[in-house]
Amino acid sequence: MPSFHEIVGQRRPAQILQSILRTQEVPNALLFSGSEGIGKRSMAMIFVQALLCQNVVHAANGINPCGLCRSCKKINSGNHPEFFILEPPSDPPTANIKIDQIRAMQEGMVFEPLETAWKVFVIVSAEKMTVEAQNSLLKTLEEPPQYVVMILIASKPSLLLPTILSRCQQVSFSPLSFSQVESILMERRGWTAGDARLAAAITSGKLGEALSLEVDQVRAMEEELNLLVKDETLSHYDTLFGVAVKFSSDAATLAKALYYLSAYFRDLLVLLAVEDRLQLDRSYLVFSWRMEELLRWSYRMDVRDVTKFLADITTIQQSLVRNINRQLTLETLLMQMRDKLLQVVS
Ligand SMILES: [Zn+2]
């Protein structure tokens, strides 16, 4: 049986939606916001199912769809006559939701539902609507047919017109903690704690991306990112600059590199915090199989150095939204690491 609470880390949105179902005070427009891959769409599907279900289940954890009635089954198989999903075209990945798509949806709203009390429209990646599309949708939001429920799903709601935002009841999804991502990966993919922790680190804790990867891919990605901290990279200027160019090609790549470095330095902090590094239980480390490499770093830096690097990385991460010179920023950081790595150890 589908349940609102099967979606990890999203109790608050689940409670809001279940209370809407209980009171049957259903808003004409809802906006699900929160980062990519944290369960907005899955929760929307459960909500739609529950809204149209012929036999909802009242349990201790609130109202849930039965998953078995004709309506629930039709939603699962994607052919419920009163339920529509609107998505941006899949190719190219940057494609927008155009005004024609919104108009087609609006035409579908004209007729009252036959089998149910509601007619439900879900707009996935709503922030990809063009301004014309948004303006067209606004007309519906201003005067929606009373039987219409629209659910806008957006990971970047700031790209929506303020007039759209103000007409939707917002349901915000919380970011998942690192350990929540880990436990979901272990549970759904059957990965070991080590693999799950690595995948969470490599994908900056983005569950959707982590779930789309295989363990081999995660390892390969880590192998690439490890170039950032390798002796061979840092000890030669030309390789160092080459790596800086490679990992600053776009904001997303740089964000990944910074996330990797911060996870790596955090491992270093663990090593520096224990009395006997050689005896450390490796399961405390994200990059446990890099023990030798980490040890080498740990003899060249103290806790203050590492903390300083972590603070610098955080500053760069925060400045990424501005238009910084990515290559120069990464070069500078790698040069500072180089200075630490190559210093004469007394
Ligand atoms: Zn049902």
Side-chain angles (χ1 to χ4, degrees):
M1 187 184 79
S3 159
F4 280 97
H5 295 276
E6 75 195 33
I7 295 161
V8 179
Q10 306 300 348
R11 261 187 70 195
R12 185 81 193 115
Q15 284 168 344
I16 294 171
L17 296 171
Q18 286 183 313
S19 117
I20 289 175
L21 292 165
R22 198 178 55 245
T23 58
Q24 283 293 301
E25 282 170 24
V26 186
N28 289 117
L30 289 153
L31 170 65
F32 289 11
S33 63
S35 40
E36 211 72 66
I38 54 174
K40 298 187 295 299
R41 187 175 178 151
S42 310
M43 186 133 0
M45 292 304 288
I46 293 174
F47 179 67
V48 175
Q49 246 181 354
L51 199 59
L52 303 179
C53 178
Q54 298 162 325
N55 198 13
V56 287
V57 181
H58 296 262
N61 67 0
I63 296 176
N64 287 305
C66 75
L68 301 169
C69 70
R70 217 156 52 92
S71 172
C72 282
K73 283 185 176 156
K74 279 185 175 174
I75 289 174
N76 275 342
S77 58
N79 58 6
H80 196 291
E82 314 298 356
F83 169 53
F84 307 87
I85 293 192
L86 184 60
E87 291 183 80
S90 56
D91 188 39
T94 51
N96 288 316
I97 297 176
K98 304 237 165 54
I99 190 166
D100 294 347
Q101 286 176 277
I102 298 294
R103 284 199 183 126
M105 184 184 88
Q106 284 162 328
E107 279 164 24
M109 288 179 181
V110 175
F111 305 102
E112 285 188 35
L114 298 172
E115 298 186 10
T116 50
W118 307 103
K119 214 166 189 165
V120 190
F121 299 83
V122 171
I123 305 181
V124 179
S125 304
E127 71 269 31
K128 290 194 171 170
M129 282 187 284
T130 61
V131 175
E132 296 76 38
Q134 292 193 44
N135 275 317
S136 172
L137 179 68
L138 197 55
K139 284 179 212 132
T140 309
L141 289 171
E142 280 163 355
E143 276 177 273
Q146 38 89 4
Y147 49 82
V148 161
V149 179
M150 284 169 274
I151 304 173
L152 280 61
I153 300 178
S155 52
K156 297 189 186 83
S158 58
L159 298 177
L160 292 167
L161 297 174
T163 38
I164 292 218
L165 295 176
S166 69
R167 293 192 181 269
C168 296
Q169 178 175 334
Q170 298 219 26
V171 181
S172 41
F173 286 62
S174 342
L176 295 175
S177 72
F178 209 77
S179 56
Q180 281 170 330
V181 174
E182 255 177 64
S183 47
I184 296 173
L185 290 172
M186 287 165 68
E187 199 184 290
R188 290 203 214 154
R189 304 297 302 270
W191 289 356
T192 63
D195 286 336
R197 190 174 314 158
L198 177 65
I202 293 299
T203 57
S204 333
K206 293 200 177 78
L207 182 62
E209 187 183 345
L211 281 172
S212 73
L213 296 169
E214 298 299 328
V215 173
D216 294 350
Q217 290 172 295
V218 175
R219 298 259 165 195
M221 284 165 77
E222 196 277 335
E223 199 70 45
E224 287 245 331
L225 287 161
N226 185 255
L227 283 175
L228 290 160
V229 291
K230 276 222 174 323
D231 281 25
E232 299 90 87
T233 304
L234 299 174
S235 51
H236 303 285
Y237 281 113
D238 46 348
T239 45
L240 185 151
F241 291 130
V243 165
V245 170
K246 177 183 163 81
F247 286 102
S248 58
S249 58
D250 57 74
T253 309
L254 179 57
K256 208 158 240 175
L258 293 170
Y259 202 89
Y260 182 82
L261 287 173
S262 64
Y264 195 86
F265 281 126
R266 245 175 272 133
D267 264 5
L268 213 48
L269 219 45
V270 175
L271 267 182
L272 290 168
V274 295
E275 217 153 291
D276 184 354
R277 322 184 176 170
L278 297 172
Q279 298 300 318
L280 174 75
D281 177 351
R282 290 185 183 208
S283 67
Y284 287 118
L285 301 173
V286 176
F287 306 104
S288 51
W289 68 99
R290 303 260 181 223
M291 187 66 160
E292 270 178 48
E293 189 183 292
L294 284 162
L295 276 173
R296 219 161 45 238
W297 273 103
S298 76
Y299 292 118
R300 288 171 166 87
M301 288 166 102
D302 58 23
V303 172
R304 260 186 36 203
D305 295 327
V306 180
T307 321
K308 169 88 170 55
F309 271 115
L310 283 169
D312 288 350
I313 291 169
T314 308
T315 311
I316 305 174
Q317 282 169 331
Q318 286 160 353
S319 64
L320 268 185
V321 282
R322 294 199 306 273
N323 211 2
I324 55 163
N325 184 331
R326 291 190 297 266
Q327 192 185 325
L328 186 66
T329 310
L330 185 56
E331 259 172 38
T332 312
L333 185 68
L334 293 178
M335 289 294 281
Q336 284 162 351
M337 286 165 53
R338 171 197 157 88
D339 290 347
K340 283 288 162 201
L341 189 70
L342 300 187
Q343 70 186 322
V344 182
V345 183
S346 52

